[in-house]
Amino acid sequence: MFKDLGKILRYLTRYKLYAGLNVLFNVLSMIFGIFSLAMIIPFLQILFNTDAAAQAKILADGLPPFKWSGDALSKYFSYYVTDMVNHRGAEYVLLLISVSLVAVILVKNLFRYLAIFYMAPIRNGTVKDIRNEMYDKILVLPLSYYSAERKGDIMARMTNDIQEIEWSVMQSLEMLTITPLTILVYLGFLIFLSGQLTLLVFILLPITGFLIARIAKSL
């Protein structure tokens, strides 16, 4: 398996620039996807937080110090949202957050489109290189090879088999870059929000998986 994967990756090295741009735009798409999820929090707070005393306490505490932590940024953002609600009204803030959310989602989808756009030269270039190599190989094969092999098999290798390799290129690039980066980005975001809660989830995850497996076997 790894030997075949190495053969496929040999073709990807010819398109390092496109592969790098694909990974970059995928990471940017993930980051803006996280922002779009985070922007839902103040939206829900405005809709369901009607406690005037809680809002007054947030304003009375003043602007909290800026720190790179999930709790500090949440308080920092809550202060600005509450202050804007008092001065401009909840309808204005909801409209502003809605427009910002749409803009963030559009940017996220734009980066995703660019990632797919730069994947196309990799796929097409890899298929072109493989077909050129096969064509050069066919030209030097002896005539006895064509007498022993069926013409349909040769055509199938030039078309269908290479089509499978094209999908293997996409899956290999996704398995080696996009999937690990997705895990790292979202894991980093969870740790940023709450490291203790993330650690608790990782402790309970194998226990939950073990219990689900036991229940599934007993059914």
Side-chain angles (χ1 to χ4, degrees):
M1 175 181 178
F2 291 102
K3 184 178 180 181
D4 296 336
L5 183 60
K7 292 179 181 179
I8 295 176
L9 293 178
R10 177 171 61 89
Y11 294 98
L12 294 180
T13 56
R14 305 176 185 178
Y15 304 96
K16 294 179 181 178
L17 177 60
Y18 293 115
L21 290 172
N22 174 265
V23 172
L24 173 63
F25 287 122
N26 271 310
V27 172
L28 291 174
S29 176
M30 296 173 204
I31 293 174
F32 276 88
I34 291 175
F35 282 152
S36 64
L37 292 175
M39 292 183 68
I40 298 177
I41 299 174
F43 186 87
L44 296 177
Q45 286 178 343
I46 296 173
L47 285 178
F48 299 105
N49 186 13
T50 58
D51 190 355
Q55 295 179 359
K57 185 178 182 303
I58 293 175
L59 295 176
D61 292 339
L63 185 65
F66 184 81
K67 294 180 181 179
W68 281 108
S69 66
D71 184 61
L73 288 178
S74 177
K75 293 179 179 178
Y76 196 83
F77 200 72
S78 295
Y79 174 82
Y80 272 110
V81 169
T82 304
D83 183 66
M84 192 178 298
V85 168
N86 286 342
H87 286 84
R88 299 292 186 94
E91 293 80 5
Y92 173 83
V93 179
L94 286 173
L95 178 61
L96 180 62
I97 294 176
S98 300
V99 172
S100 302
L101 181 60
V102 171
V104 170
I105 293 176
L106 287 176
V107 174
K108 168 186 172 293
N109 291 331
L110 174 63
F111 284 131
R112 181 58 182 163
Y113 168 79
L114 290 174
I116 298 173
F117 177 83
Y118 284 108
M119 173 62 79
I122 301 175
R123 294 171 52 189
N124 297 332
T126 301
V127 171
K128 181 196 69 175
D129 294 339
I130 295 175
R131 283 179 176 165
N132 287 337
E133 289 187 11
M134 290 188 66
Y135 179 75
D136 295 337
K137 181 67 175 178
I138 286 175
L139 291 180
V140 299
L141 288 174
L143 292 177
S144 58
Y145 173 82
Y146 297 102
S147 300
E149 293 289 334
R150 291 180 296 181
K151 308 303 181 291
D153 292 340
I154 299 175
M155 295 299 296
R157 292 173 185 174
M158 293 286 292
T159 54
N160 298 336
D161 291 353
I162 293 181
Q163 188 73 27
E164 294 296 327
I165 294 176
E166 179 182 354
W167 290 108
S168 298
V169 170
M170 295 180 59
Q171 293 175 358
S172 300
L173 186 61
E174 183 175 352
M175 180 179 65
L176 293 174
T177 58
I178 300 173
T179 302
L181 284 173
T182 303
I183 295 173
L184 290 176
V185 169
Y186 281 94
L187 180 60
F189 179 68
L190 292 175
I191 295 174
F192 177 77
L193 288 179
S194 177
Q196 295 178 349
L197 186 59
T198 304
L199 179 62
L200 179 62
V201 170
F202 275 96
I203 293 174
L204 296 178
L205 188 62
I207 301 174
T208 306
F210 174 76
L211 293 175
I212 292 174
R214 292 294 300 270
I215 295 173
K217 289 181 180 179
S218 63
L219 294 178

